[in-house]
Amino acid sequence: MEGFIYKNYDGLGLAKLIKNKELQSKEVLTEAIKTIEKHNPTLNAVINKFYEKAERHAENVDLTGTFAGVPMLLKDIAQEVAGEKITQGSKAFQNYRAQADSEYIKQVRKTGAVFVGQTNVPEFALMGITEPQVYGPTRNPWNLDHTPGGSSGGSAAAVASGMVPIAGANDGGGSIRIPGAYCGLFGMKPTRGRTPVGPKYGRNWQGASVDHILSRSVRDSAAMLDEIKVFEKAAAFHAPPFEGSYLQMMKVTPVSKLRVAFSVRSPLGSEVHQDCKEAVYNAARLLESMGHHVEEVDAPVDGRKIAKSYLTMYFGEVAAAIASLEEILGRKAVMTDVEQTTWILGLVGKATSAEEVVLSIREWDHAAYSMEIFHETYDFYMTPTTAFPPANIGELEPKKSEKLAMQVAGKLSMGGILKKAGIVEQVAENNLMRTPFTQLANLTGQPAMTVPLHLTADGLPVGVQFMAARGREDLLYSLAEKLEQSELWVPAEKNPMFLL
């Protein structure tokens, strides 16, 4: 097609051109591969490429799918493609290949999307940055000295730079929303149980983690959720049923007067950067000008208890991941199999009691009940997505003294002593202070989205988060569509890498 510029189209835009036979899927794929090869040496977003398989698929695309022929990248954890590596950002899994497609992949395949490769993640998707030792750091397209966030940092950098319009992501504590905010993207974490988790598991991270995508447009996200929302019989959790189309409702549903509660206070009582506050204040003023009721109200939960209960699960999941690794290796795992920090987190997880886990899950349920009552009064709870703009690459690495202490503790298997001293928990909480707003929705099971509504003076994106009651992704999408048309919306296409 004369004058075709691949980057100028979102996923649905490309699908329309392909369905109308204005372009062939293979032509679009060629442009995607060119863009990946152009930007990836700088960004380090893509760590595994499926080019040959993608080309075969592009030649035989079923044009009935919503994203027929549209290039898509997948996240290198949980989103397993039969026969392909799935390394989870760890050297321990470098030779592991998926035995079967995950249920998420099965659903996404039905859309006709063409899988081009896999994106970089921190080891076991544990961090809010993407700097695995085995692959090296992924860089932010807005500023190469900064992180794109994590754990879906590779996906975020790829979408923001124009490599692909959509990329797979998952979110167990903010891993869709944090990189979405850092890279100026739209990111929706669906309601717990809305998207598939099988076949290996009936829950991920005790139900905290759900899969979806990152995108530059709201409509791509809505259209994909329409396609992958399922009632999965074997899943531990099921979302409230939604029979309509998020995409269609978003287009036709007028947003009537809404009740919006907002807060810029960190649930941990820690510092919040002025730009992150300003993003929320500006959004509040915009919503008021649109006729909505907006008031400053904190969520009815104990932020420190939420953080503690989240970390209890987190430590336990790391210990379980290392135990699962032993099945793959066929031997007992040792400290050098994984990154030092991962090993230490696993030791603390081993020293965590069943009693602590049960009490933490009870805290999740208490928070979920409190938020359901809260949403009887308020349609949305609005906060900064993160407490700070993107950190510099390497900024959140443990200090030399912390590394030395972890090395000694790891060699001596001092998990119990570390846990009793609270050292690792304190280090983990210090990291959470940069991103203290996102975990609540994971623990309560609510849907939450990040929208790109602010740029710092240094030209770095800052996101605003909206949470809604469980099952109300439709409300979030309807609001997002209106915000996307507002003067506050910051298009990802403004970043320097996209413009190259």
Side-chain angles (χ1 to χ4, degrees):
M1 186 176 80
E2 188 176 349
F4 170 64
I5 300 176
Y6 166 70
K7 287 185 178 182
N8 287 354
Y9 294 85
D10 67 356
L12 290 177
L14 290 172
K16 184 177 180 180
L17 292 176
I18 293 167
K19 286 176 184 178
N20 290 343
K21 299 186 177 178
E22 296 176 63
L23 282 172
Q24 293 185 347
S25 175
K26 194 166 182 180
E27 292 177 272
V28 175
L29 176 62
T30 297
E31 291 303 311
I33 292 172
K34 282 181 183 177
T35 310
I36 292 170
E37 292 301 309
K38 178 179 180 180
H39 292 320
N40 202 55
T42 302
L43 295 176
N44 193 33
V46 182
I47 50 88
N48 191 18
K49 299 165 183 175
F50 304 163
Y51 292 169
E52 289 185 12
K53 282 187 177 180
E55 286 168 354
R56 289 197 295 272
H57 184 190
E59 288 175 351
N60 299 282
V61 167
D62 178 355
L63 296 181
T64 60
T66 300
F67 289 97
V70 176
M72 177 180 180
L73 288 161
L74 303 171
K75 187 174 177 179
D76 183 31
I77 190 167
Q79 299 174 2
E80 300 191 1
V81 176
E84 293 292 345
K85 284 185 176 183
I86 187 84
T87 72
Q88 305 180 57
S90 177
K91 65 181 179 181
F93 281 88
Q94 289 302 293
N95 297 319
Y96 178 75
R97 291 183 180 271
Q99 302 301 303
D101 284 355
S102 68
E103 291 299 322
Y104 172 86
I105 292 299
K106 288 179 182 178
Q107 295 302 316
V108 176
R109 276 194 193 281
K110 294 177 184 178
T111 73
V114 175
F115 303 148
V116 189
Q118 292 168 323
T119 60
N120 204 5
V121 300
E123 187 170 53
F124 301 154
L126 296 177
M127 302 296 175
I129 55 176
T130 301
E131 301 177 20
Q133 291 177 7
V134 67
Y135 296 119
T138 297
R139 297 183 179 274
N140 193 318
W142 291 83
N143 186 313
L144 300 178
D145 293 331
H146 292 265
T147 180
S151 62
S152 308
S155 290
V159 173
S161 64
M163 294 182 189
V164 288
I166 55 175
N170 37 51
D171 191 318
S175 289
I176 287 174
R177 289 159 290 155
I178 294 167
Y182 285 174
C183 291
L185 301 175
F186 178 77
M188 172 74 77
K189 183 204 84 68
T191 299
R192 177 185 298 154
R194 181 70 74 206
T195 60
V197 296
K200 286 186 177 179
Y201 308 105
R203 69 187 76 195
N204 285 326
W205 278 32
Q206 305 311 308
S209 183
V210 294
D211 282 71
H212 191 26
I213 64 169
L214 279 160
S215 60
R216 294 193 297 273
S217 71
V218 175
R219 69 175 192 163
D220 275 359
S221 177
M224 183 61 80
L225 191 56
D226 277 337
E227 296 300 318
I228 66 175
K229 68 180 191 290
V230 293
F231 176 82
E232 196 175 12
K233 289 183 180 179
F237 305 100
H238 299 126
F242 179 77
E243 302 302 331
S245 161
Y246 295 115
L247 180 62
Q248 293 306 316
M249 288 190 69
M250 180 185 83
K251 288 178 179 178
V252 302
T253 305
V255 178
S256 56
K257 185 170 183 176
L258 299 167
R259 299 158 298 170
V260 183
F262 78 91
S263 176
V264 296
R265 286 184 284 275
S266 165
L268 296 177
S270 51
E271 182 185 355
V272 177
H273 192 279
Q274 187 57 39
D275 271 296
C276 299
K277 293 180 182 180
E278 201 58 43
V280 172
Y281 291 141
N282 289 340
R285 285 189 284 269
L286 173 65
L287 291 169
E288 281 187 326
S289 74
M290 294 166 66
H292 304 306
H293 173 77
V294 182
E295 62 179 296
E296 192 164 5
V297 183
D298 289 327
V301 296
D302 186 322
R304 288 206 163 272
K305 284 185 178 180
I306 287 294
K308 185 175 177 60
S309 67
Y310 171 75
L311 290 174
T312 298
M313 174 275 295
Y314 179 86
F315 296 144
E317 287 290 338
V318 181
I322 293 173
S324 298
L325 170 61
E326 294 181 352
E327 296 177 21
I328 302 296
L329 295 174
R331 59 168 173 78
K332 187 175 178 63
V334 296
M335 186 174 179
T336 53
D337 287 325
V338 294
E339 295 178 17
Q340 187 180 79
T341 302
T342 303
W343 184 257
I344 295 299
L345 293 171
L347 287 179
V348 175
K350 282 186 177 182
T352 299
S353 69
E355 175 189 13
E356 289 174 288
V357 172
V358 170
L359 289 174
S360 73
I361 298 297
R362 286 181 183 174
E363 186 62 38
W364 296 18
D365 294 343
H366 175 69
Y369 184 77
S370 297
M371 289 303 292
E372 283 297 303
I373 294 173
F374 181 78
H375 283 294
E376 290 175 3
T377 302
Y378 300 103
D379 297 295
F380 299 114
Y381 182 50
M382 177 173 66
T383 70
T385 307
T386 64
F388 289 86
N392 285 308
I393 298 289
E395 182 180 343
L396 301 183
E397 273 279 304
K399 299 180 179 68
K400 285 185 179 179
S401 58
E402 291 172 343
K403 285 183 177 180
L404 181 60
M406 287 194 292
Q407 188 174 16
V408 172
K411 286 181 178 178
L412 298 177
S413 296
M414 296 165 55
I417 294 173
L418 283 170
K419 181 172 173 16
K420 189 173 289 187
I423 297 170
V424 176
E425 188 170 307
Q426 187 57 55
V427 170
E429 189 172 302
N430 288 343
N431 274 292
L432 277 187
M433 287 179 183
R434 294 194 71 93
T435 56
F437 297 103
T438 50
Q439 294 79 37
L440 177 59
N442 296 93
L443 307 194
T444 61
Q446 296 172 246
M449 66 181 182
T450 184
V451 289
L453 299 182
H454 188 77
L455 277 181
T456 70
D458 296 331
L460 291 170
V462 168
V464 175
Q465 175 181 244
F466 290 85
M467 293 170 58
R470 280 183 287 189
R472 296 313 308 268
E473 291 96 329
D474 59 316
L475 264 185
L476 290 167
Y477 278 125
S478 293
L479 177 62
E481 193 268 341
K482 306 303 181 292
L483 293 174
E484 192 174 25
Q485 298 173 32
S486 76
E487 68 275 11
L488 289 186
W489 191 272
V490 179
E493 294 85 352
K494 282 190 173 182
N495 76 75
M497 291 297 290
F498 190 94
L499 296 172
L500 286 178

